[in-house]
Amino acid sequence: MASMSFSLPKAALDQLKGFITLCRSKPEVLHNEELTFFSDYLLSMGATLPPKPAADQRPKEEQKSEHKAAAKDEEPDVEMEVESEESDVELDMDGVIGDPNPDEPHEMGDPTKKEMTDQEMENFDEKRSEAMQAFSEGEWDKAMGLFTEAIKLNPNSAAMFAKRGTCFLKLSPPAPRACVRDCSRAIELNPDNAAAYKFRGRANRLLGNFTEAAKDLSTACKIDFDEKADEWLKEVQPNAKKLAEHNRKKERKAAEKELKERQDRVRKAKEAREKAAKEQQDQEPDMGGMGGMGGMGGLGGLLNDPEMMAAFSDPEVAAAFKDISSNPANIMKYQGNPKVMALVTKMASKMGGMGGGMPGMGGMGGGMPGMGGGFPGMGGLGAMFGGMGGGAGAGAGAGSGASSTTPPAGAPKPPTSTDDLD
């Protein structure tokens, strides 16, 4: 029977060695429920497992201390959860109780009611007196019911809402959300009600809303200074300042992020424009020696003609004009090329009466009969090529001194070098 062999990765071997070491030092670990599959395998191989550990017989005090230590170890998790809710700000949450009561709406009266009848006013005064009596005696539930009856009769009394809101905080357990609703309504009816700000601030403190609590308690002290309100304000100010600083950092980071994104957009737009300009430049025809166009003044406007630009986009025409610009005399080579000569004729017609000689053509006197009248306006075109070639016409200055204007009609024919042969 062939033997089967295989090798485990080093990391797996190290983990296995570590597990064996653990089993040797604490054999009771084999009775762990998660290792049932392994203990069953050992038993199937005839192994003997160590006995299960007996129930914890340690003294109760030792168990209790261990329980406290475990609970203390769990506290950081709770604190981390609170910190996460407060946007990673480390806050002192001592005294925050939340609101175990269901967040259910309660009687707020008819907000559209503006006036009371004489009988309603009488009933309201009676309920208010009874409610204040119960409030002074600390009968909070009874006082809440009487204040509610008074609110039904007069839903525009800020004092009744503020007093009932105070009763909500006196309950066991307190109902801070209901207090916030009543005090907010009281402030809507009377923005100068210091008691409403005071107890709404206290309710927000119990809910952990430190920023809102600090604002309400500070407002209450400004309207009517109260030692208790000032004491509560000092309790919430440290957390409120931490939150304010944290919010400033968040706003600053958001502004920096927005600025960076805007700069990136500007940079990308600039790069896109530069890329588009480069691509357009690469697509333009190679005009060779026509780099002298800058000094041609209004002549550069010739290339604004769409037909001419289309002709220059033809590689054959562009190469011909590059050749001509390097040596204007080379124009003779392209007399049989209709595309090149059509463009030459068009350029000559556009140049019209632009004067000037054809530098570089002076030494071609009698060798090219008919050259003088073969191309109307060629004098100006030759001058253009001379300028486009840079220094192409510099060595032919002698030829440029000849008159470039057409002799007037009827003038005697100037003598030529062949007259003495006749």
Side-chain angles (χ1 to χ4, degrees), residues 137-174:
E137 294 174 357
E139 299 180 5
W140 311 119
D141 289 324
K142 179 180 179 181
M144 282 175 51
L146 293 170
F147 281 127
T148 300
E149 294 297 324
I151 287 172
K152 288 180 181 179
L153 294 167
N154 183 9
N156 299 308
S157 174
M160 296 298 97
F161 281 105
K163 286 295 184 181
R164 190 177 68 173
T166 305
C167 291
F168 279 119
L169 287 187
K170 301 291 185 178
L171 297 177
S172 181

Side-chain angles (χ1 to χ4, degrees), residues 35 65 68-69 100-101 104 151-152 192 197-198 203 205 234-235 259 266 289 293 297 320 330 337 344 399 408 421:
L35 296 176
S65 62
K68 288 182 179 179
N101 301 287
E104 297 178 354
I151 287 172
K152 288 180 181 179
D192 294 327
Y197 283 108
K198 174 183 175 180
R205 188 260 185 275
K234 291 177 181 178
E235 290 180 8
L259 176 61
V266 172
M293 288 292 288
N330 290 340
N337 189 322
V344 169
L421 299 179

Side-chain angles (χ1 to χ4, degrees), residues 287-294 296 303 312 321 325 347 384 388-389:
M287 303 304 288
M290 295 181 69
M293 288 292 288
M296 294 172 63
L303 298 182
F312 276 121
F321 268 73
S325 65
M347 291 180 67
M384 182 190 78
M388 293 194 304

